[in-house]
Amino acid sequence: KSLYESLTHGGIGNGVRVRIEGIDSEQLEEGPVGPVLKKYQGLLVAGGFGGRGIEGKISAIQYAREKKVPFLGICLGLQCAVIEFARNVIKIKEATSAEFDPKTAHPLIDLMMDQRQQMEKGGTMRLGAYPCQVKKGTRAHHIYKKTLVYERHRHRYEVNNAYRKQLGDAGLVFSGVSPDQNLVEMIELPNHPLFIAVQFHPEFQSSPQSPHPLFHEFIRAASNLP
């Protein structure tokens, strides 16, 4: 509900009406995604838990990346975007998340280091507001117009730092990180109308009077506004 409202806020900020359609990502696993997605002006992959429908989400993100469709990923959406990039750009075909396959040889997404030995997961998520350093010269910096922002989180898995150099060398931009540089908070791609994903939940800080900058920019890009 908060995502739907935030997209509407982005429409208010741009003076456009937003039409939202939900897609069952499991259906995208049944065949080519182009015939399903070609009518949409923007794609948002939201947060969630577990492996259900993941391959459909990854295929949709690949479509958005290759076809230059404005894309916004939130939490799990960022994780799927990293996996998609690793598989199809770096060619790590078995790239996945340890959440989906704990025994994978290529956990592009993994538990936070201090949680890997914990058996009980209750109450161990990264919750609440955390600082994020925004890299100057990035699309994220253009959107926020700040170099330090605070955003709310609700997740446990993070981008695996062991792969950050490979991802960066291949062109993935880490436009937001934690102040200690250990946690990836935002990623983006250059030379794209809008391809940005965040580890946090910007919908928790959006309102009709003050649309969150990410939703404002996503709707602006999807509407092809200057």
Side-chain angles (χ1 to χ4, degrees):
K1 178 63 173 177
S2 57
L3 279 174
Y4 277 52
E5 291 296 321
S6 297
L7 289 167
T8 300
H9 303 161
I12 293 171
N14 285 285
V16 299
R17 178 176 293 179
V18 179
R19 295 179 60 186
I20 305 169
E21 292 187 16
I23 300 174
D24 182 348
S25 61
E26 285 186 300
Q27 295 181 358
L28 298 179
E29 298 174 354
E30 298 173 0
V33 301
V36 179
L37 300 179
K38 65 181 181 181
K39 68 176 182 177
Y40 298 105
Q41 294 172 265
L43 172 69
L44 185 150
V45 176
F49 296 92
R52 181 183 172 194
I54 289 298
E55 294 304 320
K57 294 175 182 178
I58 291 172
S59 295
I61 293 169
Q62 181 180 6
Y63 178 88
R65 179 177 59 82
E66 294 179 347
K67 300 298 184 181
K68 307 294 186 182
V69 178
F71 165 73
L72 174 61
I74 295 177
C75 201
L76 181 63
L78 174 143
Q79 297 171 8
C80 289
V82 169
I83 293 168
E84 188 280 320
F85 190 87
R87 287 182 184 180
N88 298 312
V89 177
I90 305 178
K91 305 302 181 183
I92 305 176
K93 293 302 181 181
E94 296 179 355
T96 188
S97 168
E99 180 180 10
F100 315 143
D101 180 4
K103 296 181 180 179
T104 178
H106 293 288
L108 270 287
I109 309 297
D110 205 350
L111 285 171
M112 292 184 282
M113 188 65 68
D114 59 355
Q115 292 187 349
R116 291 182 182 175
Q117 304 304 317
Q118 292 185 11
M119 299 301 293
E120 297 295 331
K121 296 293 189 292
T124 61
M125 289 194 295
R126 187 150 68 105
L127 290 168
Y130 284 81
C132 169
Q133 286 187 341
V134 184
K135 185 178 180 181
K136 289 184 178 181
T138 61
R139 187 70 171 269
H141 185 254
H142 171 77
I143 292 170
Y144 278 99
K145 297 178 175 56
K146 298 178 181 178
T147 56
L148 181 66
V149 296
Y150 287 81
E151 294 283 3
R152 290 174 60 184
H153 294 68
R154 187 176 183 270
H155 70 280
R156 179 175 291 112
Y157 288 82
E158 306 279 357
V159 175
N160 189 338
N161 288 331
Y163 294 90
R164 275 172 66 172
K165 186 177 188 305
Q166 278 181 276
L167 292 165
D169 288 347
L172 192 67
V173 177
F174 302 106
S175 49
V177 295
S178 59
D180 63 6
Q181 307 295 306
N182 284 331
L183 300 174
V184 172
E185 297 281 13
M186 290 191 279
I187 64 167
E188 61 183 66
L189 289 176
N191 305 315
H192 193 286
L194 182 70
F195 191 103
I196 190 166
V198 300
Q199 184 65 81
F200 44 80
H201 290 268
E203 68 272 23
F204 294 159
Q205 298 195 77
S206 187
S207 71
Q209 297 80 12
S210 181
H212 191 284
L214 285 168
F215 288 100
H216 187 283
E217 183 70 1
F218 176 59
I219 299 302
R220 187 205 63 77
S223 303
N224 198 29
L225 294 171

